[in-house]
Each structure stands twice: as C-alpha cells, then as structure tokens.
C-alpha cells in the first residue's frame, strides 16, 4: 500500500512527520516522502532539512496522498505543474489528505470545491476561496478527501488514513505504538480555549 | 537560547521533530539538531532522512539538550564518546531531556541514577537498570532532568521545555501555534486502555 507525502521548501516538518510516523510502521505500508525536485528540502525554520525518498516525477499513482502545510506552499498555489500532479495522483487514490495549510494546495488543485474541510485555525477563512465550507474539527472527511487542522493534527490524520487503508485494528496498534495518549500541558491548543491576547499574538505571527 | 536535539542513525523521526516544532518557532529559540557525524541521518524506517544542523563536535554547551529515541540508540548505549558528550553538555544545561527510549541514553550516561523517569511504555522495565524509578506519566520531571513517554509525548516534552526556558506564556502560544488540541481517534494510545491483544502485538513488534 503506497502512501505518498508531498514535501517542499519551507514546509512545516511536523505536518509531514506526524502522519509519516503514524503510518510508516504498519506492516504493508510503504510511506514515501516525495518532493518536486531531488535533494534535501529545507523546512520553514531554515535549519532542519528532510530528504525525500523520491520526486513527484517518480510517483504517478498512490493509495493515499498526504499534503502537509507550511509557509512555503503559498508560492505553489499557482504552480500548475505541481497542481496537475496532485490532480492526477488524486484520481486514483483511496484517500487524498492534507494537514494544516496543506488544505490550501488541495483547494488550489480544485479538490475542495463543494466539500467540508479544515486547516490551521488561523487560515480557516481562506477555505471559502476554494469553494470549501470550513469546519472547526481536528479531522474532516468529505468523500475521499480528508483534511486536518493545524500541525499536530497530522498525527490524527495519519491514524485516520491508517484505519482507511489497513483497518481499524492496525490503526489502533499504530496509536499505541506512538503512545498517542496526549495530555496537553496548558490546554491552550485551540483558539476557542486560549486566552484572547495569546490568540491574537499567534494569529499575527501566522498571518503577518 | 540554544536547544540541541541529538539525532543519530535509526532514530524515530517524530521523537525529534515533535519537540523541535514545539520549540523552533518561539522568538529567541535557536533549535539545532546535532548528529555524531556530518551528513544526513537515516531514520528507523529506512526511507526518511533528517539533515542535522551541526555535529556534536560543534556543540560544547546548550541551554537545553533533548535526546530522542529509536532502535538505533541501542548500539550507542556503550559509546563512551557520545555518552561523554551528553554528560559534558548536561553539566551546563538548564534542562536535559529525553523522548521515548532516548531515556536509555540518558540512563547509560548516568543521568537517571536515583531519579523518577519515564520512556516508551514497552521499555519502562529497562529504567531500573539505570537506577531510575519508572513512572507511567507523559512527562516526568526530576530536578533538571525531564523524560517523556513514547514518540508523540515529545510534543508535550517540547512544550514543557518551552515553559522552562521562555516562560509559560510563550509555551501557551507554542501550543496554540501547533494547534495541539488533540482528539485521539481510537483512545488506544496507552497500554492501560488498549485491548490486551493489541498491547501484546505492539509489545512484540517493539521488543522483538
């Protein structure tokens, strides 16, 4: 079962590595990170790079396609070559998914038109541009398109994709394998629960 | 504020990237992944590599040291050169931390002697070998040594280290920035709650 995770310059590392780790240890899962070009991909912090296992040119089809987010995808929203690749791979997937602002790339590829979807909380207002209805949930499924909230929600996205491709028992085992029994230390992980001044500071940082 | 995350061949990517992402976007945080040698480090799946920002030789001191886990650290448990580096950096840290089986490396370096500590649930029974008392919690603090449970607990470790180094408001903002408002899809992320047959299957996979 082939799962392709698209990576690109200035992506957010955890957006890609969260679902990767949830899926990569499942027997029968072949999870590959693919980048538009060969070589290391520098993430949004500028001081960590991920090395893809292949390029988009190597992958014509996959059982699942996962598109992470990160500030680097803004310049890709009109990259017809990459959007065309996403559309072609999507045609034959069982699941096409995004984490965080990866949803904007799915949107730009036309895959969110008429669908319920989510993204990082600070970017939910971008979704209607792509014909999508924003939903404030961790993981939103509409047909075979599954979108996840910001950054850390990629772990839940990965486990959801795991259940779809490998069955619920495999996904439960994956959840245990990565000991995903979270206890957030501060309880401020959503804009609905964080203090207003922290929400505004983070929104400013995110949207500039 | 310099935070060094040790990476090595066959580490678990999320163990390193979870705390990395929790810390790297905080103003004033300089988070660097350091490896024993230059070049890309291949993770435990064999098909994803991380590129470190430096080598252990470059880093003589740090405000925080974080040691992730992964099957690759078993061969390092008697690597006197690496253990000596951990000990020397630890002397001047404000926090020395581990994620998952990274605790075994801290133990081998003598840093868990007489302390309460945690690790991946399937390895808790290894901790007494290093003089530590195993504790089944997500993040365990004893003096300046902070240990986290398996894989995904590294996010919580990162947020805990963030609070220590940058204050609680910065950590709350980081928790919101990565939208860490988790809703595990299956509720099987701890051995206490997963079905017994899944616990045994995952334990077998982990411990072989």
């Amino acid at each position: 079962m082939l799962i392709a995770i698209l990576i690109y310059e200035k992506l957010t590392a955890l957006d890609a590595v969260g679902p990767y780790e949830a899926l990569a240890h499942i027997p029968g899962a072949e999870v590959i990170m693919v980048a538009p070009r060969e070589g290391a991909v520098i993430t949004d912090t500028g001081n960590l790079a991920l090395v893809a296992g292949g390029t988009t040119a190597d992958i014509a089809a996959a059982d699942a396609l996962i598109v992470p987010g990160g500030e680097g995808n803004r310049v890709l929203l009109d990259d017809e070559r990459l959007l065309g690749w996403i559309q072609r791979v999507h045609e034959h997937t069982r699941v096409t998914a995004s984490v965080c602002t990866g949803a904007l790339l799915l949107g730009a590829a036309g895959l969110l038109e008429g669908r319920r979807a989510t993204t990082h909380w600070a970017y939910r207002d971008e979704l209607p541009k792509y014909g999508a209805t924003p939903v404030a949930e961790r993981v939103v499924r509409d047909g075979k398109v599954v979108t996840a909230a910001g950054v850390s929600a990629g772990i839940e996205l990965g486990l959801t994709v795991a259940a779809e491709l490998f069955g619920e028992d495999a996904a439960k085992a994956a959840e245990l394998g990565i000991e995903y029994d979270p206890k957030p230390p501060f309880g401020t992980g959503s804009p609905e629960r964080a203090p207003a001044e922290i929400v505004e500071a983070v929104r400013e940082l995110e949207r500039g």
Side-chain angles (χ1 to χ4, degrees), chain A:
Chain A
M1 203 78 82
L2 181 65
I3 298 132
I5 301 178
L6 177 67
I7 65 174
Y8 49 82
E9 292 293 312
K10 295 195 181 177
L11 89 158
T12 300
L14 184 54
D15 285 27
V17 173
Y20 180 85
E21 208 69 81
L23 285 155
H25 301 271
I26 297 175
E30 186 190 350
V31 189
I32 183 168
M33 296 226 183
V34 293
R37 277 167 292 278
E38 282 188 19
V41 169
I42 298 171
T43 67
D44 58 1
T45 57
N47 69 354
L48 170 65
L50 307 179
V51 183
T55 70
T56 49
D58 302 326
I59 300 289
D63 296 288
L65 169 64
I66 299 176
V67 179
E71 60 179 88
N73 70 17
R74 307 313 180 265
V75 300
L76 302 174
L77 296 177
D78 57 1
D79 182 329
E80 294 303 331
R81 195 170 155 185
L82 185 66
L83 298 177
W85 179 82
I86 291 172
Q87 288 159 349
R88 287 193 304 281
V89 174
H90 170 69
E91 276 176 33
H92 302 289
T93 57
R94 285 172 59 181
V95 188
T96 301
S98 64
V99 178
C100 198
T101 57
L104 307 184
L105 269 172
L106 295 192
L111 309 188
L112 298 185
E113 185 65 45
R115 295 190 199 262
R116 299 166 73 248
T118 198
T119 183
H120 189 286
W121 61 268
Y123 292 85
R124 279 182 209 145
D125 61 352
E126 296 282 318
L127 292 175
K129 292 183 191 171
Y130 304 106
T133 304
V135 180
E137 289 171 11
R138 291 293 282 176
V139 176
V140 175
R141 182 179 192 120
D142 191 326
K144 75 173 187 179
V145 176
V146 185
T147 51
V151 193
S152 64
I155 295 174
E156 286 153 52
L157 185 278
L159 294 169
T160 303
V161 172
E164 176 68 25
L165 298 186
F166 301 98
E168 205 161 285
D169 276 359
K172 286 176 175 172
E175 193 173 284
L176 180 61
I178 61 169
E179 204 165 345
Y180 194 52
D181 181 35
K183 309 237 174 349
F186 305 105
T188 57
S190 92
E192 288 75 26
R193 272 188 291 289
E197 65 276 15
I198 288 179
V199 175
E200 285 321 303
V202 176
R203 192 192 304 274
E204 179 67 20
L205 202 71
E206 286 284 338
R207 300 298 297 265

